[in-house]
């Protein structure tokens, strides 16, 4: 899904470079939040499994392996812009699940509870970003945009912008020959 902007006269425009640039920047920042941790966990899956076992989670090795796969390949899919709805929903669900599993602030008191609550809210904020990505899509500067042929549209020059106005007033634009009717 691609958002569009509206002109003052109510006509819809193709999204501009700024829109696509912001979507690319958002994808880069969201991926940067997960990918380094995913790589670190991939290098020490057994340590992450021990952390999950400490929460009482059944099958911590299986869950740790699945989490590492999601945390490495999800951000890569996000960077490239493939399957945005599936990627956004999957990473959003992953962020919520990890927030609840790894940051149970209600089990702590004092400064530890504040720190765990802050980490949990940060993970929930990431989940919100992933859900926004699922709703808006990756933009034209992505694999999906390239596949759909969504190329950034050039801005109209003064001559191109003046031509439709002249035609609407009954005048012929300068530099064009009149068309002749076939006999």
């Amino acid at each position: 899904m691609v958002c569009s902007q509206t002109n003052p006269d109510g006509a819809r425009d193709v999204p501009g470079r700024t829109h696509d640039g912001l979507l690319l920047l958002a994808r880069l920042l969201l991926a940067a939040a997960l990918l380094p941790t995913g790589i670190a966990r991939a290098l020490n899956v057994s340590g992450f499994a021990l952390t999950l076992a400490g929460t009482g989670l059944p099958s911590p090795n299986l869950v740790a392996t699945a989490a590492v796969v999601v945390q490495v390949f999800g951000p890569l899919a996000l960077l490239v812009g493939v399957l945005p709805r599936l990627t956004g929903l999957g990473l959003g669900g992953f962020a919520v699940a990890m927030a609840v599993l790894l940051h149970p602030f209600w089990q702590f008191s004092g400064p530890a509870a504040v720190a765990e609550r802050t980490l949990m809210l940060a993970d929930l904020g990431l989940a919100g970003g992933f859900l926004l990505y699922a709703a808006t899509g990756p933009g034209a500067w992505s694999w999906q945009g390239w596949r759909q042929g969504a190329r950034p549209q050039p801005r109209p020059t003064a001559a191109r912008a003046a031509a439709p106005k002249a035609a609407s007033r009954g005048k012929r634009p300068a530099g064009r020959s009149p068309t002749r009717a076939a006999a």
Side-chain angles (χ1 to χ4, degrees):
M1 180 186 302
V2 176
C3 298
S4 61
Q5 302 166 351
T6 304
N7 282 339
D9 61 343
R12 295 175 85 91
D13 279 343
V14 174
R17 293 181 200 182
T18 304
H19 177 78
D20 293 325
L22 286 174
L23 287 174
L24 175 62
L25 179 62
R27 290 190 346 252
L28 291 171
L29 292 173
L30 284 170
L34 285 185
L35 191 56
T37 307
I39 292 170
R41 286 180 178 167
L43 296 173
N44 187 12
V45 178
S46 59
F48 183 47
L50 287 173
T51 302
L52 292 176
T55 66
L57 188 69
S59 304
N61 289 329
L62 179 65
V63 173
T65 303
V68 165
V69 169
V70 168
Q71 207 166 1
V72 171
F73 290 106
L76 293 176
L78 182 74
L79 283 173
V80 175
V82 295
L83 302 170
R85 287 199 175 103
L86 180 65
T87 302
L89 292 174
L91 288 174
F94 173 79
V96 169
M98 289 295 113
V100 172
L101 281 174
L102 299 178
H103 305 295
F105 67 91
W106 54 89
Q107 296 177 354
F108 297 92
S109 62
V114 172
E116 290 296 322
R117 184 179 64 228
T118 301
L119 291 170
M120 181 178 200
L121 291 175
D123 284 350
L124 294 177
L126 277 175
F130 293 132
L131 294 178
L132 283 171
Y133 170 69
T136 61
W141 297 347
S142 66
W143 174 258
Q144 182 183 11
W146 179 76
R147 294 258 321 181
Q148 292 176 349
R151 307 272 191 255
Q153 299 295 321
R155 289 186 173 192
T157 61
R160 282 192 219 156
K165 290 179 186 174
S168 65
R169 290 181 284 199
K171 296 180 183 178
R172 184 171 51 91
R176 298 187 95 198
S177 62
T179 54
R180 296 183 181 156

